[in-house]
Amino acid sequence: MGMLTALAFVFSYIEFLIPIHLGIPGVKLGLANLVVIVALYTMGTKEACALSLIRIVLTGFTFGSPASMLYSLAGGSLSLLVMILIRKLEVFSVTGVSVLGGVFHNIGQILAAVLVVETASLLYYLPVLILSGTIAGAVIGILAARLMKRLENMIRKC
């Protein structure tokens, strides 16, 4: 868990150093979610939840602000809840679970922003955020599936 937390933290730091500016605040690939998804599939729900929470808090205190931590907690919590529920259905692949996680991460963040700012006009960003969550979720899901397959092969060889 410590190594996975450190890895997720490093991925968050890399994203902090290389921000993606698409004109919409908060749009990013979500590299740290790669670690969370792998933990969800290989270690379990409790471990993935702990890892996600610890990573969000560490990253918030180190690189962010209370507001960014609030948005990350809202997005990360909703995303993880949806991924846990969808994974249990065993209908979607890892990539499908990740896409839904990416979309609901953005939905959670925008809902938190609507509540904080007290204006529903922020919902106009939702289509762009859903698209970016879909793309980021697909990339992270593909990487997670490939990584888990390689880990499985390495374990079999040992």
Side-chain angles (χ1 to χ4, degrees):
M1 280 296 291
M3 288 175 44
L4 290 178
T5 302
L7 183 60
F9 185 72
V10 167
F11 283 168
S12 293
Y13 181 62
I14 291 169
E15 279 193 327
F16 175 76
L17 290 176
I18 309 169
I20 300 171
H21 295 289
L22 299 175
I24 307 249
V27 172
K28 52 186 176 175
L29 185 56
L31 290 173
N33 293 329
L34 173 65
V35 181
V36 174
I37 290 169
V38 170
L40 177 63
Y41 275 86
T42 61
M43 299 179 79
T45 301
K46 290 178 188 175
E47 291 80 3
C49 289
L51 175 67
S52 182
L53 178 65
I54 292 166
R55 194 246 342 141
I56 289 169
V57 171
L58 280 175
T59 303
F61 280 126
T62 308
F63 312 118
S65 64
S68 67
M69 197 181 323
L70 170 73
Y71 298 134
S72 291
L73 282 169
S77 299
L78 184 60
S79 170
L80 194 53
L81 176 66
V82 168
M83 288 192 299
I84 290 166
L85 294 173
I86 294 300
R87 181 175 181 261
K88 286 183 180 183
L89 293 176
E90 297 182 3
V91 174
F92 291 95
S93 66
V94 174
T95 303
V97 170
S98 179
V99 166
L100 288 168
V103 167
F104 277 91
H105 188 278
N106 288 341
I107 289 172
Q109 286 188 321
I110 202 77
L111 290 177
V114 165
L115 292 173
V116 168
V117 181
E118 297 180 352
T119 178
S121 64
L122 292 175
L123 293 174
Y124 289 114
Y125 289 123
L126 205 49
V128 174
L129 291 175
I130 288 172
L131 178 63
S132 72
T134 300
I135 294 167
V139 170
I140 295 301
I142 290 166
L143 290 173
R146 294 181 94 186
L147 178 62
M148 287 187 300
K149 193 173 195 174
R150 287 187 182 205
L151 287 172
E152 190 177 299
N153 290 339
M154 286 175 56
I155 290 170
R156 267 192 241 151
K157 288 180 182 179
C158 291

